[in-house]
């Protein structure tokens, strides 16, 4: 039975690759430069809830007051907000930008995982095509 490497070791390796660095840079630039319409649910069902959890004030919709929604998604952002608060970096600009940075890291990780999986299963040429498709997908921007 082959030994599998720990998740920690694989993540550490991923962070050191130039490919991941390039993908992260691309996603960060995309997150900071692209100005699009933000659906109200993106704020009211995640960021506003996370803000209220960490800072104690903010608006939550009736679904949250009646316990109809789960906290998994807002907790991602609440962790980032809490880290900013603990570090004393919880000013308005960073609270606004931090969720974009988190989503860029997640998107770059998905891009990199797509590339690695496709390379393992079908080879480098297919992996490059899969990566391109991941990068231009409107659902991951």
């Amino acid at each position: 039975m082959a030994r599998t490497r720990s998740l920690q070791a694989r993540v550490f390796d991923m962070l050191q690759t130039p490919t991941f660095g390039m993908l992260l840079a691309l996603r960060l630039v995309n997150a900071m430069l692209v100005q699009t319409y933000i659906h109200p649910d993106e704020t009211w069902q995640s960021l506003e809830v996370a803000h209220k959890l960490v800072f104690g004030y903010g608006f939550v919709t009736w679904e949250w007051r009646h316990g109809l929604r789960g906290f998994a998604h807002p907790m991602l952002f609440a962790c980032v907000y809490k880290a900013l608060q603990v570090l004393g970096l919880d000013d308005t600009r960073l609270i606004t930008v931090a969720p974009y940075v988190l989503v860029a890291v997640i998107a770059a990780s998905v891009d990199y995982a797509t590339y690695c999986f496709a390379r393992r299963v079908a080879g480098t040429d297919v992996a490059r095509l899969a990566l391109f498709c991941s990068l231009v997908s409107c659902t991951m921007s």
Side-chain angles (χ1 to χ4, degrees):
M1 184 168 168
R3 289 186 59 195
T4 58
R5 296 179 53 221
S6 71
L7 177 62
Q8 228 176 0
R10 288 182 286 176
V11 168
F12 183 72
D13 287 348
M14 175 189 74
L15 293 174
Q16 291 182 324
T17 64
T19 303
F20 180 75
M22 179 214 47
L23 293 170
L24 181 57
L26 182 67
R27 289 301 187 174
L28 286 169
V29 167
N30 183 57
M32 298 304 152
L33 293 181
V34 174
Q35 301 294 312
T36 66
Y37 170 76
I38 296 178
H39 193 278
D41 267 357
E42 291 180 38
T43 300
W44 300 114
Q45 304 303 343
S46 61
L47 301 178
E48 192 69 24
V49 175
H51 189 276
K52 182 158 177 93
L53 285 170
V54 174
F55 300 108
Y57 65 95
F59 183 79
V60 292
T61 61
W62 66 272
E63 299 102 327
W64 295 99
R65 288 192 299 272
H66 295 287
L68 298 175
R69 294 216 179 235
F71 282 90
H73 185 243
M75 286 304 283
L76 291 170
F77 301 108
C79 290
V80 172
Y81 286 162
K82 190 63 175 179
L84 291 175
Q85 184 185 48
V86 167
L87 296 171
L89 300 172
D90 53 345
D91 65 65
T92 303
R93 181 69 182 145
L94 285 176
I95 288 172
T96 304
V97 170
Y100 290 99
V101 172
L102 174 63
V103 171
V105 169
I106 292 169
S109 300
V110 169
D111 294 336
Y112 186 74
T114 299
Y115 174 77
C116 291
F117 177 75
R119 188 179 62 201
R120 181 181 301 165
V121 171
T124 303
D125 291 339
V126 172
R128 288 179 181 146
L129 180 60
L131 178 59
F132 174 76
C133 290
S134 183
L135 289 171
V136 298
S137 169
C138 63
T139 61
M140 287 301 294
S141 54

